[in-house]
Amino acid sequence: MIKKLFYRDNNTIHWLHGYEEKPEILFGKGNEFTIKNFRNAAMIDNTLCFEWQDKTLNLDDIESVDLVISYWSSRHIAHVFLSFGFGQGEYVAISIETRRQISQKYSTWKGFFNTYELIYVVADERDLIGIRANVRKEDVYIYRVNVTKEVCKQVFLDYVERINSLKNNDEFYNTLGNNCTTNILRHSRKAAPNFKYNWMVLFSGHVDQYCYDLGLLDKTLTIEELRANSKVAPVLESLNDDYSQLIRPGYRGS
């Protein structure tokens, strides 16, 4: 069961940098929408800095969805999120995370006991992927998910509904039942109704194998070949405007 928070006074809470703002996605004329508090990251004088802006796109331009897996511990545990492609090199990555206060350090065990708030971070890939691959030196993999544009749209809209709900209705993160992978599972049933909770979802480092078995990833390659082809290439010293193109499978810098 998802437990909600029933208190809120942001004036007394000092959030860890990067979590000060919560996103919201508002639709306007036609299928045009604006992401409020779209997050960006940059390295300034060797310091990781975040800023927020409004970003406007059109739902009709959605083309793809990628599964991103970032290994920060063992091969069995990883952070998993999705990135939606809108053409013209535009990507909207959405990462489900713990919203921590300055005084809080992340602990898997504390995540069982209603310690952290849940947040959906909506950001560009230089932020959500670049931080992990370039700054934290994690092993990051990007897999194109084999679904239609219509399914991409359905999954994205499901995310939008949850993001807007969380704007003013806070929930606790839970390591077992309300985390990055279980929430992706709920959203992704739009694409794969047979996507069930099992040990490969619990041990999130194996989600690529699970998606591969379901036929959601490229099966012209073995899973080992696909992993080798999908690892983010360490080609950049900085997070520049071409980041999303440079990290895609198939690119190999010198």
Side-chain angles (χ1 to χ4, degrees):
M1 181 178 67
I2 295 174
K3 294 187 177 181
K4 295 188 176 183
L5 300 168
F6 294 99
Y7 63 89
R8 167 61 64 225
D9 183 359
N10 274 322
N11 293 325
T12 65
I13 295 177
H14 299 286
W15 298 109
L16 191 67
H17 186 41
Y19 297 105
E20 294 94 334
E21 305 294 340
K22 295 174 71 173
E24 185 177 21
I25 300 178
L26 304 176
F27 275 82
K29 185 177 180 180
N31 276 332
E32 187 175 86
F33 63 91
T34 297
I35 304 169
K36 312 290 287 187
N37 294 326
F38 183 80
R39 201 179 79 176
N40 296 275
M43 293 297 295
I44 302 175
D45 295 329
N46 293 319
T47 300
L48 182 60
C49 300
F50 297 97
E51 64 176 11
W52 290 262
Q53 65 182 58
D54 290 352
K55 186 176 184 67
T56 299
L57 294 166
N58 195 300
L59 187 62
D60 292 335
D61 294 332
I62 198 167
E63 293 183 345
S64 63
V65 61
D66 292 323
L67 173 70
V68 184
I69 303 180
S70 184
Y71 294 89
W72 53 271
S73 181
S74 71
R75 179 67 199 178
H76 303 294
I77 302 297
H79 182 62
V80 182
F81 58 95
L82 300 184
S83 185
F84 295 87
F86 284 86
Q88 303 299 316
E90 295 277 7
Y91 289 90
V92 174
I94 306 177
S95 175
I96 303 164
E97 304 182 11
T98 57
R99 191 187 191 196
R100 286 166 285 149
Q101 300 176 37
I102 290 175
S103 60
Q104 293 177 314
K105 291 185 178 180
Y106 178 75
S107 164
T108 300
W109 299 110
K110 287 183 179 180
F112 284 103
F113 302 107
N114 297 339
T115 305
Y116 312 113
E117 186 178 321
L118 182 80
I119 187 171
Y120 279 50
V121 177
V122 184
D124 68 13
E125 293 187 332
R126 290 177 297 178
D127 180 323
L128 288 176
I129 297 176
I131 289 172
R132 290 172 169 83
N134 288 39
V135 180
R136 298 179 186 169
K137 307 300 182 182
E138 297 177 6
D139 290 330
V140 184
Y141 297 79
I142 301 178
Y143 301 96
R144 178 57 47 90
V145 182
N146 293 327
V147 291
T148 65
K149 292 182 181 180
E150 184 59 34
V151 170
C152 291
K153 184 183 296 186
Q154 291 173 4
V155 175
F156 182 78
L157 287 174
D158 207 61
Y159 266 84
V160 170
E161 183 177 352
R162 187 75 186 284
I163 288 165
N164 289 343
S165 174
L166 288 171
K167 176 65 176 178
N168 297 306
N169 297 283
D170 308 313
E171 293 179 7
F172 284 115
Y173 173 95
N174 183 275
T175 299
L176 187 61
N178 196 20
N179 56 46
C180 65
T181 316
T182 57
N183 279 294
I184 290 175
L185 175 70
R186 296 183 184 104
H187 295 303
S188 297
R189 285 192 176 126
K190 297 286 183 179
N194 294 326
F195 208 18
K196 308 293 184 182
Y197 189 88
N198 71 6
W199 73 268
M200 283 187 280
V201 174
L202 177 61
F203 293 99
S204 51
H206 299 275
V207 167
D208 55 350
Q209 179 71 63
Y210 190 31
C211 291
Y212 183 84
D213 292 344
L214 289 175
L216 293 172
L217 305 183
D218 182 5
K219 299 204 74 171
T220 65
L221 303 174
T222 66
I223 186 61
E224 291 79 14
E225 291 170 335
L226 183 59
R227 283 175 180 147
N229 192 50
S230 300
K231 187 173 182 179
V232 171
V235 296
L236 299 178
E237 294 297 329
S238 62
L239 308 180
N240 61 44
D241 291 339
D242 296 326
Y243 188 74
S244 290
Q245 285 66 52
L246 295 175
I247 62 174
R248 252 44 198 192
Y251 177 88
R252 290 295 180 265
S254 59

